[in-house]
Amino acid sequence: LQLEGAAHIATLSDVPRHCPNLRIAHLGGCTQLDAATIGSLATQCKQLAYINLSSADIDSDALQQLFTGASNLMTVCVANNPRIDAGADLAFSMLHRHRHLRALDVSHCPEVTDLALCTVAQYCPGLEVLDVSGCFALTDESVLAIGN
């Protein structure tokens, strides 16, 4: 599903019904999507492996809905979403369901915390790509956790 930049799309309610085997969703720049919509897509599209929500103006609740609803994520991009804040710590704790996650891009989400990254390190041992550029709240603690 390629909807990148479709800033006026607010609902995806028919997508799971018509595309239950959806594996890839490019939704970057879709700024009208809310947490419930993202959660519904994640829950109903059981094969969803790749999702790009960069610059979609999502918040920590939407991230939690994504990680709670989906079960086969391999690549997640939520770059450039400054509303992902310390509340995302709970969302990242849902990564215990995503041990096969290979790539995570949270770049330019300036409020992502050390706790969130330590959780990623704990729950995603197969992670191959992690982009945290522009995450100004991070300290050595998270770097050490990722390195271990």
Side-chain angles (χ1 to χ4, degrees), residues 38 53-64 66-67 76-92 104-113 116-117 134-137:
I38 292 167
L53 289 163
S54 61
S55 302
D57 197 33
I58 64 168
D59 60 11
S60 297
D61 186 41
L63 190 63
Q64 182 175 347
L66 173 64
F67 289 154
V76 174
C77 177
V78 291
N80 300 308
N81 282 295
R83 294 191 318 131
I84 295 177
D85 57 19
D89 292 347
L90 180 60
F92 283 103
L104 177 63
D105 183 349
V106 292
S107 62
H108 304 286
C109 297
E111 301 299 319
V112 168
T113 67
L117 267 288
C135 295
F136 304 117

Side-chain angles (χ1 to χ4, degrees), residues 14-38:
D14 288 339
V15 171
R17 187 166 32 120
H18 295 292
C19 305
N21 296 318
L22 184 70
R23 293 185 43 79
I24 298 171
H26 291 276
L27 304 173
C30 295
T31 57
Q32 299 300 312
L33 299 178
D34 62 12
T37 299
I38 292 167

Side-chain angles (χ1 to χ4, degrees), residues 65-145:
Q65 293 290 322
L66 173 64
F67 289 154
T68 302
S71 58
N72 289 308
L73 292 173
M74 294 184 69
T75 301
V76 174
C77 177
V78 291
N80 300 308
N81 282 295
R83 294 191 318 131
I84 295 177
D85 57 19
D89 292 347
L90 180 60
F92 283 103
S93 72
M94 298 296 129
L95 285 175
H96 66 87
R97 302 183 62 208
H98 300 282
R99 292 195 175 271
H100 49 280
L101 188 69
R102 297 292 176 254
L104 177 63
D105 183 349
V106 292
S107 62
H108 304 286
C109 297
E111 301 299 319
V112 168
T113 67
D114 284 331
L115 179 58
L117 267 288
C118 289
T119 303
V120 170
Q122 177 183 358
Y123 291 135
C124 302
L127 199 64
E128 298 169 0
V129 177
L130 175 63
D131 190 344
V132 293
S133 54
C135 295
F136 304 117
L138 299 180
T139 68
D140 289 343
E141 179 183 352
S142 56
V143 174
L144 291 171

